[in-house]
């Protein structure tokens, strides 16, 4: 049975690796266009298994400043209610630092993906979640994921993320940890409700990571899950 997948992303973010995209102009000529985060959604659609369906988040960077919380909620309920997994495409320019998080779509989409939503007498479960990290314009992931060559482990720049996203990373109630040689903490196992995966790793084994997101969702009581924007 196919999955219904909601994808949260910053539509117009161009701080991503070039995918060599060509589109037709008004005269039917093939013209190279600047790659945006939304082009990665198109690539993902082509790689999903037969029967899987994508529901897209932000289309055009619409401001939320003049919308009430209830208006935003009503729009998201329809998009997210029937989905089972939410993929958050993490990109370097996804966050507008000059706007509050409540005035940006992605935090709301993450919030509603984590909530149980009741409609027509039926309550949905919270979604399985994945943070799929896009390479930046230099093909690097180091704006978010850095590798420690000393102990062969990695660290995450969680300060870069939306608050509701960072709150649901490394949020296992009783994590298994050890100490790195530099004194930092190393987390083992499924320590995050929202796991972070590089784009190249994800598209190389999509089914595994979608199944893992559902597996973690089914033991959500093991995590301190933040569902509301702060």
């Amino acid at each position: 049975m196919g999955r219904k997948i909601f994808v949260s992303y910053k539509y117009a973010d161009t701080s991503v690796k070039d995918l060599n995209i060509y589109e037709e102009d008004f005269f039917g000529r093939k013209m190279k266009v600047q790659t945006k985060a939304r082009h990665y959604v198109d690539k993902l659609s082509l790689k999903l298994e037969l029967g899987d369906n994508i529901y897209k988040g932000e289309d055009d960077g619409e401001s939320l400043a003049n919308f009430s919380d209830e208006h935003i909620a009503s729009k998201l309920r329809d998009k997210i209610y029937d989905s089972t997994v939410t993929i958050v495409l993490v990109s370097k320019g996804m966050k507008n630092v000059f706007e509050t998080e409540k005035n940006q779509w992605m935090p709301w989409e993450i919030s509603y993906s984590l909530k149980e939503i009741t409609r027509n007498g039926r309550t949905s479960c919270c979604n399985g979640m994945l943070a799929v990290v896009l390479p930046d314009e230099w093909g690097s992931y180091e704006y978010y994921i850095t590798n420690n060559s000393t102990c062969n482990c990695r660290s995450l720049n969680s300060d870069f993320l939306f608050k509701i996203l960072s709150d649901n990373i490394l949020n296992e109630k009783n994590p298994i940890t050890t100490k790195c040689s530099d004194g930092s903490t190393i987390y083992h196992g499924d320590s995050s409700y929202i796991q972070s995966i590089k784009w190249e790793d994800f598209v190389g084994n999509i089914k595994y990571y979608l199944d893992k997101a559902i597996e973690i969702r089914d033991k959500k009581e093991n995590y301190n899950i933040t569902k509301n924007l702060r």
Side-chain angles (χ1 to χ4, degrees):
M1 183 176 178
R3 299 178 180 84
K4 294 182 178 180
I5 301 164
F6 182 82
V7 183
S8 178
Y9 61 103
K10 182 62 177 175
Y11 180 88
D13 184 13
T14 58
S15 298
V16 293
K17 184 180 178 180
D18 182 39
L19 291 176
N20 204 30
I21 301 293
Y22 285 81
E23 295 178 356
E24 286 190 0
D25 67 6
F26 179 78
F27 301 101
R29 298 173 301 189
K30 289 284 188 180
M31 305 291 288
K32 193 172 190 299
V33 298
Q34 187 170 24
T35 300
K36 300 177 181 179
R38 66 111 172 159
H39 290 115
Y40 280 83
V41 183
D42 297 338
K43 290 287 186 183
L44 179 57
S45 298
L46 296 174
K47 289 180 176 292
L48 291 176
E49 291 187 351
L50 184 65
D52 288 343
N53 294 293
I54 276 185
Y55 294 77
K56 299 178 183 179
E58 177 186 322
D59 284 330
D60 57 7
E62 181 180 29
S63 172
L64 306 184
N66 297 319
F67 292 160
S68 68
D69 289 2
E70 184 52 39
H71 175 79
I72 297 168
S74 66
K75 293 187 74 169
L76 291 180
R77 285 192 197 106
D78 291 340
K79 286 188 174 184
I80 296 174
Y81 179 77
D82 283 333
S83 60
T84 54
V85 176
T86 292
I87 295 171
V88 181
L89 292 186
V90 175
S91 55
K92 191 164 71 173
M94 70 177 183
K95 184 176 179 180
N96 186 340
V97 297
F98 299 108
E99 280 192 304
T100 66
E101 295 195 7
K102 290 192 72 173
N103 282 343
Q104 300 178 63
W105 275 115
M106 290 184 69
W108 282 99
E109 290 165 352
I110 295 165
S111 173
Y112 271 83
S113 295
L114 291 165
K115 291 180 177 180
E116 292 77 21
I117 300 173
T118 300
R119 192 171 71 177
N120 298 326
R122 176 175 169 262
T123 300
S124 67
C125 182
C126 65
N127 279 8
M129 303 282 295
L130 292 169
V132 176
V133 187
L134 303 184
D136 68 12
E137 59 268 52
W138 311 111
S140 172
Y141 296 94
E142 291 192 359
Y143 68 92
Y144 176 47
I145 298 175
T146 55
N147 294 313
N148 187 332
S149 58
T150 303
C151 59
N152 196 30
C153 60
R154 70 176 191 170
S155 59
L156 304 177
N157 177 23
S158 59
D159 291 340
F160 154 83
L161 301 173
F162 292 110
K163 179 68 173 161
I164 194 167
L165 187 53
S166 62
D167 282 348
N168 289 293
I169 292 173
L170 301 181
N171 63 330
E172 191 176 14
K173 291 178 180 177
N174 298 295
I176 300 171
T177 64
T178 56
K179 285 294 183 181
C180 181
S181 58
D182 65 4
S184 60
T185 301
I186 302 173
Y187 290 79
H188 301 276
D190 299 327
S191 55
S192 299
Y193 187 78
I194 305 178
Q195 295 199 330
S196 300
I197 308 106
K198 294 179 180 179
W199 167 261
E200 60 192 36
D201 294 333
F202 177 68
V203 294
N205 203 350
I206 291 175
K207 183 179 185 302
Y208 168 81
Y209 287 110
L210 293 178
D211 288 347
K212 172 59 73 172
I214 295 298
E215 176 189 325
I216 291 175
R217 183 201 66 181
D218 290 344
K219 54 181 182 180
K220 61 183 182 295
E221 66 278 359
N222 295 338
Y223 298 86
N224 293 310
I225 298 177
T226 298
K227 301 182 180 182
N228 295 311
L229 302 185
R230 294 195 250 172

